[in-house]
Amino acid sequence: MHFSIPSRSAHQTTLPGSPSFKAKSRASPHRTGYAPSLFARLRSLILHAAPSTQSSTAPEKKRQSSRRTTLSVLVIVVFAVAAVLLTIMYVLFGNIATLDPTGPHVVLVLGLDNTKYKDDYLAKIVENRKEYADAHGYGLYVRYVSDFKNLVHDVTKQGWLKLPLMRSAMQENPGSTYFWYLDQNAIIMNPNLDIESHITDVKRLNSLVLRDVPVVPPDSTIRTYRHVPADRMKFIIAQDHEGFQTGSFILKNEEYSRYVLDAWFDKLYQEYKFQKDEKGALEHLAQWHPTVLSKIAIIPQRIFNAYPNGVGESMYQDGDFVASLSGCDTPERSCLREFERLWDNRGRVVN
């Protein structure tokens, strides 16, 4: 699926759909002046309909005065009724443009790089995500990452492109609850696991959260909180031996998540040149902003971001949910060769 977003100039770093952009309501800009205008028109019609009193006798003037009084009372009654009806219509329909439509509970977000990878490779990635999304009734949001290159400070740092991509997916699917970003260099190996029971269910997530561990392993002085309940956590991510791994993460569709994406994508962070690019920026946010960290759930890597070439607890094993080829686009490795080996051994949906 493909969705368009408002075009932005290259120097703007606020993500599409951020709070600084307010949706335009379909309501008329002159609606607030409608009731007084109605009253004025009714009064004008009544005054023009009443006969002139210049040549009337005293009894006739008295009758005309009584008639005008009655008509004035009628105008007030009509105005009051109209005002009530307009108020009811405003409450029921006035803000219809801002109501969130219903959508799939979970949306998979996929960015494709069509400048470095061939179409047949990308087609397999899309097939893998679509098979999984269809099996569980999830949405699938697919875009070329090049669509967002005018938003980043340095287009050679493609890791940043996932942030406006994720923000766009949330904007286009306001009725959905969870958004799962998964890099194109990853395969869903066990498509029979659903996101809810495997990760996001509160009891399940509470059992997965790594508490009191360094935010940046192995010895960061800032550690995850011990007692934050799982139902308060809105950002689910894993870490390897170096730190956060942003190739797979889940965001709950709430104001916190939109704030994190906007803050994470800030131009100052992009220009600062963190050693690990967007990963370093997120680690900085988590370590220096307790409000951000308090809602981040770090879970074991093998839950949804295992490495086939990993070591210890990070190493992919048969039956694991996802195999991620993180770092495969280097001269020493080949994403295509590693991908093909996994592709042939992936699990299929059991009906």
mmCIF file of all heavy atoms in Angstrom, residues 69-113:
data_model
loop_
_atom_site.group_PDB
_atom_site.id
_atom_site.type_symbol
_atom_site.label_atom_id
_atom_site.label_comp_id
_atom_site.label_asym_id
_atom_site.label_seq_id
_atom_site.Cartn_x
_atom_site.Cartn_y
_atom_site.Cartn_z
ATOM 1 N N THR A 69 -45.025 43.771 18.792
ATOM 2 C CA THR A 69 -44.588 43.125 20.026
ATOM 3 C C THR A 69 -44.709 41.612 19.911
ATOM 4 O O THR A 69 -43.808 40.853 20.286
ATOM 5 C CB THR A 69 -45.413 43.627 21.222
ATOM 6 O OG1 THR A 69 -45.247 45.040 21.347
ATOM 7 C CG2 THR A 69 -44.954 42.943 22.511
ATOM 8 N N THR A 70 -45.839 41.168 19.350
ATOM 9 C CA THR A 70 -46.054 39.723 19.175
ATOM 10 C C THR A 70 -45.022 39.129 18.228
ATOM 11 O O THR A 70 -44.461 38.050 18.480
ATOM 12 C CB THR A 70 -47.464 39.470 18.622
ATOM 13 O OG1 THR A 70 -48.422 40.022 19.537
ATOM 14 C CG2 THR A 70 -47.720 37.977 18.456
ATOM 15 N N LEU A 71 -44.778 39.857 17.128
ATOM 16 C CA LEU A 71 -43.792 39.377 16.170
ATOM 17 C C LEU A 71 -42.388 39.341 16.762
ATOM 18 O O LEU A 71 -41.584 38.442 16.478
ATOM 19 C CB LEU A 71 -43.820 40.246 14.918
ATOM 20 C CG LEU A 71 -45.073 40.117 14.036
ATOM 21 C CD1 LEU A 71 -45.028 41.133 12.913
ATOM 22 C CD2 LEU A 71 -45.195 38.704 13.477
ATOM 23 N N SER A 72 -42.068 40.320 17.601
ATOM 24 C CA SER A 72 -40.750 40.353 18.243
ATOM 25 C C SER A 72 -40.563 39.146 19.158
ATOM 26 O O SER A 72 -39.493 38.528 19.193
ATOM 27 C CB SER A 72 -40.578 41.646 19.037
ATOM 28 O OG SER A 72 -40.602 42.764 18.189
ATOM 29 N N VAL A 73 -41.646 38.826 19.886
ATOM 30 C CA VAL A 73 -41.583 37.648 20.752
ATOM 31 C C VAL A 73 -41.382 36.393 19.909
ATOM 32 O O VAL A 73 -40.598 35.501 20.253
ATOM 33 C CB VAL A 73 -42.865 37.526 21.605
ATOM 34 C CG1 VAL A 73 -42.897 36.188 22.340
ATOM 35 C CG2 VAL A 73 -42.951 38.689 22.591
ATOM 36 N N LEU A 74 -42.078 36.350 18.759
ATOM 37 C CA LEU A 74 -41.940 35.210 17.863
ATOM 38 C C LEU A 74 -40.508 35.090 17.351
ATOM 39 O O LEU A 74 -39.945 33.982 17.256
ATOM 40 C CB LEU A 74 -42.913 35.356 16.693
ATOM 41 C CG LEU A 74 -42.870 34.247 15.626
ATOM 42 C CD1 LEU A 74 -43.208 32.893 16.252
ATOM 43 C CD2 LEU A 74 -43.836 34.573 14.492
ATOM 44 N N VAL A 75 -39.898 36.230 17.014
ATOM 45 C CA VAL A 75 -38.514 36.234 16.541
ATOM 46 C C VAL A 75 -37.579 35.668 17.606
ATOM 47 O O VAL A 75 -36.692 34.858 17.329
ATOM 48 C CB VAL A 75 -38.089 37.661 16.151
ATOM 49 C CG1 VAL A 75 -36.574 37.728 15.954
ATOM 50 C CG2 VAL A 75 -38.791 38.099 14.879
ATOM 51 N N ILE A 76 -37.806 36.092 18.854
ATOM 52 C CA ILE A 76 -36.948 35.609 19.943
ATOM 53 C C ILE A 76 -37.078 34.101 20.109
ATOM 54 O O ILE A 76 -36.096 33.379 20.274
ATOM 55 C CB ILE A 76 -37.307 36.335 21.258
ATOM 56 C CG1 ILE A 76 -36.944 37.827 21.145
ATOM 57 C CG2 ILE A 76 -36.583 35.698 22.437
ATOM 58 C CD1 ILE A 76 -37.402 38.661 22.319
ATOM 59 N N VAL A 77 -38.334 33.622 20.013
ATOM 60 C CA VAL A 77 -38.564 32.184 20.146
ATOM 61 C C VAL A 77 -37.880 31.419 19.004
ATOM 62 O O VAL A 77 -37.219 30.407 19.217
ATOM 63 C CB VAL A 77 -40.076 31.877 20.179
ATOM 64 C CG1 VAL A 77 -40.315 30.367 20.095
ATOM 65 C CG2 VAL A 77 -40.695 32.445 21.438
ATOM 66 N N VAL A 78 -38.061 31.931 17.775
ATOM 67 C CA VAL A 78 -37.438 31.290 16.614
ATOM 68 C C VAL A 78 -35.920 31.284 16.753
ATOM 69 O O VAL A 78 -35.250 30.283 16.470
ATOM 70 C CB VAL A 78 -37.861 31.990 15.308
ATOM 71 C CG1 VAL A 78 -37.044 31.471 14.130
ATOM 72 C CG2 VAL A 78 -39.354 31.787 15.058
ATOM 73 N N PHE A 79 -35.379 32.418 17.177
ATOM 74 C CA PHE A 79 -33.936 32.514 17.366
ATOM 75 C C PHE A 79 -33.445 31.510 18.405
ATOM 76 O O PHE A 79 -32.432 30.836 18.217
ATOM 77 C CB PHE A 79 -33.560 33.925 17.793
ATOM 78 C CG PHE A 79 -32.145 34.046 18.271
ATOM 79 C CD1 PHE A 79 -31.085 33.963 17.394
ATOM 80 C CD2 PHE A 79 -31.876 34.231 19.619
ATOM 81 C CE1 PHE A 79 -29.783 34.059 17.835
ATOM 82 C CE2 PHE A 79 -30.574 34.327 20.074
ATOM 83 C CZ PHE A 79 -29.523 34.244 19.179
ATOM 84 N N ALA A 80 -34.159 31.393 19.537
ATOM 85 C CA ALA A 80 -33.748 30.470 20.596
ATOM 86 C C ALA A 80 -33.755 29.025 20.091
ATOM 87 O O ALA A 80 -32.824 28.252 20.346
ATOM 88 C CB ALA A 80 -34.670 30.621 21.801
ATOM 89 N N VAL A 81 -34.824 28.667 19.363
ATOM 90 C CA VAL A 81 -34.913 27.311 18.818
ATOM 91 C C VAL A 81 -33.780 27.052 17.826
ATOM 92 O O VAL A 81 -33.142 25.993 17.842
ATOM 93 C CB VAL A 81 -36.289 27.084 18.163
ATOM 94 C CG1 VAL A 81 -36.312 25.756 17.420
ATOM 95 C CG2 VAL A 81 -37.398 27.130 19.209
ATOM 96 N N ALA A 82 -33.527 28.045 16.945
ATOM 97 C CA ALA A 82 -32.462 27.893 15.953
ATOM 98 C C ALA A 82 -31.098 27.750 16.617
ATOM 99 O O ALA A 82 -30.261 26.944 16.192
ATOM 100 C CB ALA A 82 -32.467 29.091 14.999
ATOM 101 N N ALA A 83 -30.881 28.538 17.681
ATOM 102 C CA ALA A 83 -29.601 28.468 18.385
ATOM 103 C C ALA A 83 -29.392 27.095 19.004
ATOM 104 O O ALA A 83 -28.296 26.520 18.950
ATOM 105 C CB ALA A 83 -29.534 29.556 19.454
ATOM 106 N N VAL A 84 -30.449 26.548 19.603
ATOM 107 C CA VAL A 84 -30.357 25.224 20.209
ATOM 108 C C VAL A 84 -30.045 24.166 19.147
ATOM 109 O O VAL A 84 -29.188 23.303 19.324
ATOM 110 C CB VAL A 84 -31.658 24.873 20.958
ATOM 111 C CG1 VAL A 84 -31.653 23.404 21.389
ATOM 112 C CG2 VAL A 84 -31.827 25.776 22.171
ATOM 113 N N LEU A 85 -30.765 24.256 18.001
ATOM 114 C CA LEU A 85 -30.545 23.284 16.934
ATOM 115 C C LEU A 85 -29.133 23.381 16.371
ATOM 116 O O LEU A 85 -28.481 22.359 16.099
ATOM 117 C CB LEU A 85 -31.573 23.497 15.814
ATOM 118 C CG LEU A 85 -33.021 23.130 16.153
ATOM 119 C CD1 LEU A 85 -33.946 23.501 15.001
ATOM 120 C CD2 LEU A 85 -33.140 21.632 16.451
ATOM 121 N N LEU A 86 -28.646 24.609 16.194
ATOM 122 C CA LEU A 86 -27.295 24.781 15.675
ATOM 123 C C LEU A 86 -26.252 24.253 16.644
ATOM 124 O O LEU A 86 -25.236 23.673 16.245
ATOM 125 C CB LEU A 86 -27.036 26.260 15.379
ATOM 126 C CG LEU A 86 -27.758 26.834 14.150
ATOM 127 C CD1 LEU A 86 -27.570 28.341 14.091
ATOM 128 C CD2 LEU A 86 -27.229 26.184 12.883
ATOM 129 N N THR A 87 -26.500 24.453 17.939
ATOM 130 C CA THR A 87 -25.571 23.941 18.947
ATOM 131 C C THR A 87 -25.502 22.421 18.903
ATOM 132 O O THR A 87 -24.426 21.817 18.951
ATOM 133 C CB THR A 87 -25.987 24.403 20.352
ATOM 134 O OG1 THR A 87 -26.001 25.826 20.393
ATOM 135 C CG2 THR A 87 -25.011 23.870 21.403
ATOM 136 N N ILE A 88 -26.667 21.795 18.800
ATOM 137 C CA ILE A 88 -26.717 20.336 18.724
ATOM 138 C C ILE A 88 -25.991 19.844 17.476
ATOM 139 O O ILE A 88 -25.211 18.883 17.514
ATOM 140 C CB ILE A 88 -28.178 19.844 18.724
ATOM 141 C CG1 ILE A 88 -28.832 20.153 20.078
ATOM 142 C CG2 ILE A 88 -28.245 18.354 18.421
ATOM 143 C CD1 ILE A 88 -30.316 19.845 20.125
ATOM 144 N N MET A 89 -26.220 20.517 16.338
ATOM 145 C CA MET A 89 -25.562 20.118 15.095
ATOM 146 C C MET A 89 -24.047 20.285 15.205
ATOM 147 O O MET A 89 -23.282 19.458 14.708
ATOM 148 C CB MET A 89 -26.096 20.945 13.923
ATOM 149 C CG MET A 89 -27.552 20.633 13.560
ATOM 150 S SD MET A 89 -28.189 21.733 12.280
ATOM 151 C CE MET A 89 -27.121 21.298 10.930
ATOM 152 N N TYR A 90 -23.614 21.350 15.873
ATOM 153 C CA TYR A 90 -22.178 21.585 16.030
ATOM 154 C C TYR A 90 -21.526 20.479 16.851
ATOM 155 O O TYR A 90 -20.470 19.944 16.512
ATOM 156 C CB TYR A 90 -21.925 22.933 16.697
ATOM 157 C CG TYR A 90 -20.466 23.235 16.915
ATOM 158 C CD1 TYR A 90 -19.695 23.806 15.901
ATOM 159 C CD2 TYR A 90 -19.847 22.922 18.121
ATOM 160 C CE1 TYR A 90 -18.353 24.067 16.095
ATOM 161 C CE2 TYR A 90 -18.505 23.175 18.326
ATOM 162 C CZ TYR A 90 -17.773 23.758 17.302
ATOM 163 O OH TYR A 90 -16.437 24.001 17.505
ATOM 164 N N VAL A 91 -22.191 20.129 17.972
ATOM 165 C CA VAL A 91 -21.641 19.104 18.849
ATOM 166 C C VAL A 91 -21.567 17.759 18.129
ATOM 167 O O VAL A 91 -20.599 17.012 18.229
ATOM 168 C CB VAL A 91 -22.495 18.978 20.134
ATOM 169 C CG1 VAL A 91 -22.055 17.762 20.945
ATOM 170 C CG2 VAL A 91 -22.380 20.241 20.967
ATOM 171 N N LEU A 92 -22.643 17.450 17.364
ATOM 172 C CA LEU A 92 -22.698 16.148 16.703
ATOM 173 C C LEU A 92 -21.817 16.065 15.474
ATOM 174 O O LEU A 92 -21.177 15.050 15.211
ATOM 175 C CB LEU A 92 -24.144 15.817 16.312
ATOM 176 C CG LEU A 92 -25.116 15.567 17.475
ATOM 177 C CD1 LEU A 92 -26.514 15.325 16.931
ATOM 178 C CD2 LEU A 92 -24.652 14.377 18.310
ATOM 179 N N PHE A 93 -21.759 17.144 14.689
ATOM 180 C CA PHE A 93 -21.102 17.065 13.383
ATOM 181 C C PHE A 93 -19.955 18.047 13.177
ATOM 182 O O PHE A 93 -19.194 17.915 12.234
ATOM 183 C CB PHE A 93 -22.127 17.304 12.262
ATOM 184 C CG PHE A 93 -23.326 16.395 12.364
ATOM 185 C CD1 PHE A 93 -24.570 16.906 12.677
ATOM 186 C CD2 PHE A 93 -23.189 15.045 12.166
ATOM 187 C CE1 PHE A 93 -25.670 16.075 12.780
ATOM 188 C CE2 PHE A 93 -24.280 14.204 12.259
ATOM 189 C CZ PHE A 93 -25.530 14.713 12.568
ATOM 190 N N GLY A 94 -19.842 19.049 14.032
ATOM 191 C CA GLY A 94 -18.885 20.121 13.776
ATOM 192 C C GLY A 94 -17.450 19.667 13.717
ATOM 193 O O GLY A 94 -16.648 20.204 12.979
ATOM 194 N N ASN A 95 -17.087 18.661 14.543
ATOM 195 C CA ASN A 95 -15.699 18.213 14.588
ATOM 196 C C ASN A 95 -15.501 16.871 13.901
ATOM 197 O O ASN A 95 -14.567 16.150 14.197
ATOM 198 C CB ASN A 95 -15.237 18.115 16.049
ATOM 199 C CG ASN A 95 -15.124 19.482 16.677
ATOM 200 O OD1 ASN A 95 -14.718 20.425 16.010
ATOM 201 N ND2 ASN A 95 -15.502 19.592 17.931
ATOM 202 N N ILE A 96 -16.370 16.535 12.985
ATOM 203 C CA ILE A 96 -16.289 15.214 12.354
ATOM 204 C C ILE A 96 -14.977 15.012 11.612
ATOM 205 O O ILE A 96 -14.477 13.910 11.490
ATOM 206 C CB ILE A 96 -17.491 15.004 11.412
ATOM 207 C CG1 ILE A 96 -17.597 13.527 11.032
ATOM 208 C CG2 ILE A 96 -17.360 15.878 10.158
ATOM 209 C CD1 ILE A 96 -18.904 13.192 10.320
ATOM 210 N N ALA A 97 -14.362 16.118 11.156
ATOM 211 C CA ALA A 97 -13.109 15.985 10.411
ATOM 212 C C ALA A 97 -11.960 15.527 11.291
ATOM 213 O O ALA A 97 -10.964 15.024 10.804
ATOM 214 C CB ALA A 97 -12.748 17.325 9.755
ATOM 215 N N THR A 98 -12.060 15.694 12.617
ATOM 216 C CA THR A 98 -10.973 15.331 13.499
ATOM 217 C C THR A 98 -11.177 13.976 14.157
ATOM 218 O O THR A 98 -10.341 13.534 14.913
ATOM 219 C CB THR A 98 -10.812 16.394 14.602
ATOM 220 O OG1 THR A 98 -12.004 16.399 15.414
ATOM 221 C CG2 THR A 98 -10.611 17.762 14.010
ATOM 222 N N LEU A 99 -12.314 13.310 13.901
ATOM 223 C CA LEU A 99 -12.543 12.011 14.497
ATOM 224 C C LEU A 99 -11.671 10.962 13.829
ATOM 225 O O LEU A 99 -11.498 10.949 12.621
ATOM 226 C CB LEU A 99 -14.019 11.616 14.366
ATOM 227 C CG LEU A 99 -15.028 12.518 15.087
ATOM 228 C CD1 LEU A 99 -16.441 12.027 14.816
ATOM 229 C CD2 LEU A 99 -14.762 12.546 16.584
ATOM 230 N N ASP A 100 -11.080 10.069 14.647
ATOM 231 C CA ASP A 100 -10.222 9.029 14.106
ATOM 232 C C ASP A 100 -11.055 7.896 13.517
ATOM 233 O O ASP A 100 -11.891 7.319 14.213
ATOM 234 C CB ASP A 100 -9.325 8.461 15.213
ATOM 235 C CG ASP A 100 -8.258 9.435 15.640
ATOM 236 O OD1 ASP A 100 -8.048 10.404 14.893
ATOM 237 O OD2 ASP A 100 -7.645 9.223 16.695
ATOM 238 N N PRO A 101 -10.845 7.553 12.266
ATOM 239 C CA PRO A 101 -11.557 6.399 11.696
ATOM 240 C C PRO A 101 -11.003 5.120 12.287
ATOM 241 O O PRO A 101 -9.897 5.076 12.807
ATOM 242 C CB PRO A 101 -11.232 6.498 10.202
ATOM 243 C CG PRO A 101 -9.914 7.201 10.161
ATOM 244 C CD PRO A 101 -9.926 8.177 11.317
ATOM 245 N N THR A 102 -11.774 4.066 12.222
ATOM 246 C CA THR A 102 -11.283 2.786 12.703
ATOM 247 C C THR A 102 -10.230 2.258 11.749
ATOM 248 O O THR A 102 -10.222 2.575 10.563
ATOM 249 C CB THR A 102 -12.437 1.779 12.800
ATOM 250 O OG1 THR A 102 -13.050 1.644 11.506
ATOM 251 C CG2 THR A 102 -13.481 2.248 13.805
ATOM 252 N N GLY A 103 -9.340 1.454 12.274
ATOM 253 C CA GLY A 103 -8.275 0.888 11.448
ATOM 254 C C GLY A 103 -7.812 -0.414 12.048
ATOM 255 O O GLY A 103 -8.264 -0.823 13.118
ATOM 256 N N PRO A 104 -6.883 -1.105 11.390
ATOM 257 C CA PRO A 104 -6.352 -2.347 11.946
ATOM 258 C C PRO A 104 -5.657 -2.097 13.275
ATOM 259 O O PRO A 104 -5.064 -1.033 13.487
ATOM 260 C CB PRO A 104 -5.368 -2.820 10.872
ATOM 261 C CG PRO A 104 -5.009 -1.580 10.112
ATOM 262 C CD PRO A 104 -6.231 -0.719 10.126
ATOM 263 N N HIS A 105 -5.721 -3.079 14.167
ATOM 264 C CA HIS A 105 -5.136 -2.919 15.502
ATOM 265 C C HIS A 105 -3.625 -2.711 15.416
ATOM 266 O O HIS A 105 -3.051 -1.925 16.161
ATOM 267 C CB HIS A 105 -5.456 -4.158 16.345
ATOM 268 C CG HIS A 105 -5.029 -4.042 17.773
ATOM 269 N ND1 HIS A 105 -5.515 -3.072 18.626
ATOM 270 C CD2 HIS A 105 -4.141 -4.775 18.507
ATOM 271 C CE1 HIS A 105 -4.969 -3.210 19.812
ATOM 272 N NE2 HIS A 105 -4.128 -4.225 19.768
ATOM 273 N N VAL A 106 -2.983 -3.418 14.500
ATOM 274 C CA VAL A 106 -1.532 -3.342 14.319
ATOM 275 C C VAL A 106 -1.227 -3.002 12.870
ATOM 276 O O VAL A 106 -1.874 -3.520 11.955
ATOM 277 C CB VAL A 106 -0.853 -4.681 14.685
ATOM 278 C CG1 VAL A 106 0.654 -4.617 14.419
ATOM 279 C CG2 VAL A 106 -1.123 -5.049 16.142
ATOM 280 N N VAL A 107 -0.255 -2.127 12.661
ATOM 281 C CA VAL A 107 0.205 -1.791 11.310
ATOM 282 C C VAL A 107 1.696 -2.108 11.206
ATOM 283 O O VAL A 107 2.492 -1.646 12.037
ATOM 284 C CB VAL A 107 -0.038 -0.307 10.971
ATOM 285 C CG1 VAL A 107 0.563 0.044 9.614
ATOM 286 C CG2 VAL A 107 -1.527 0.015 10.983
ATOM 287 N N LEU A 108 2.073 -2.899 10.213
ATOM 288 C CA LEU A 108 3.474 -3.157 9.927
ATOM 289 C C LEU A 108 3.993 -2.036 9.029
ATOM 290 O O LEU A 108 3.329 -1.651 8.064
ATOM 291 C CB LEU A 108 3.648 -4.498 9.205
ATOM 292 C CG LEU A 108 3.685 -5.770 10.054
ATOM 293 C CD1 LEU A 108 2.365 -6.003 10.750
ATOM 294 C CD2 LEU A 108 4.061 -6.968 9.190
ATOM 295 N N VAL A 109 5.168 -1.527 9.349
ATOM 296 C CA VAL A 109 5.740 -0.411 8.598
ATOM 297 C C VAL A 109 7.027 -0.881 7.932
ATOM 298 O O VAL A 109 7.936 -1.402 8.595
ATOM 299 C CB VAL A 109 6.022 0.787 9.515
ATOM 300 C CG1 VAL A 109 6.586 1.956 8.707
ATOM 301 C CG2 VAL A 109 4.741 1.214 10.251
ATOM 302 N N LEU A 110 7.097 -0.683 6.619
ATOM 303 C CA LEU A 110 8.238 -1.170 5.842
ATOM 304 C C LEU A 110 8.731 -0.086 4.901
ATOM 305 O O LEU A 110 7.972 0.468 4.116
ATOM 306 C CB LEU A 110 7.816 -2.407 5.037
ATOM 307 C CG LEU A 110 8.802 -2.951 4.008
ATOM 308 C CD1 LEU A 110 10.089 -3.423 4.677
ATOM 309 C CD2 LEU A 110 8.170 -4.092 3.206
ATOM 310 N N GLY A 111 10.022 0.210 4.977
ATOM 311 C CA GLY A 111 10.652 1.143 4.049
ATOM 312 C C GLY A 111 11.573 0.402 3.098
ATOM 313 O O GLY A 111 12.379 -0.425 3.533
ATOM 314 N N LEU A 112 11.445 0.689 1.814
ATOM 315 C CA LEU A 112 12.222 -0.022 0.797
ATOM 316 C C LEU A 112 13.255 0.898 0.160
ATOM 317 O O LEU A 112 12.937 2.034 -0.208
ATOM 318 C CB LEU A 112 11.288 -0.570 -0.293
ATOM 319 C CG LEU A 112 10.205 -1.560 0.162
ATOM 320 C CD1 LEU A 112 9.314 -1.920 -1.020
ATOM 321 C CD2 LEU A 112 10.835 -2.816 0.761
ATOM 322 N N ASP A 113 14.452 0.386 0.021
ATOM 323 C CA ASP A 113 15.520 1.130 -0.647
ATOM 324 C C ASP A 113 15.682 0.573 -2.063
ATOM 325 O O ASP A 113 16.325 -0.460 -2.275
ATOM 326 C CB ASP A 113 16.826 0.976 0.140
ATOM 327 C CG ASP A 113 17.965 1.767 -0.494
ATOM 328 O OD1 ASP A 113 17.734 2.424 -1.529
ATOM 329 O OD2 ASP A 113 19.088 1.707 0.046
#
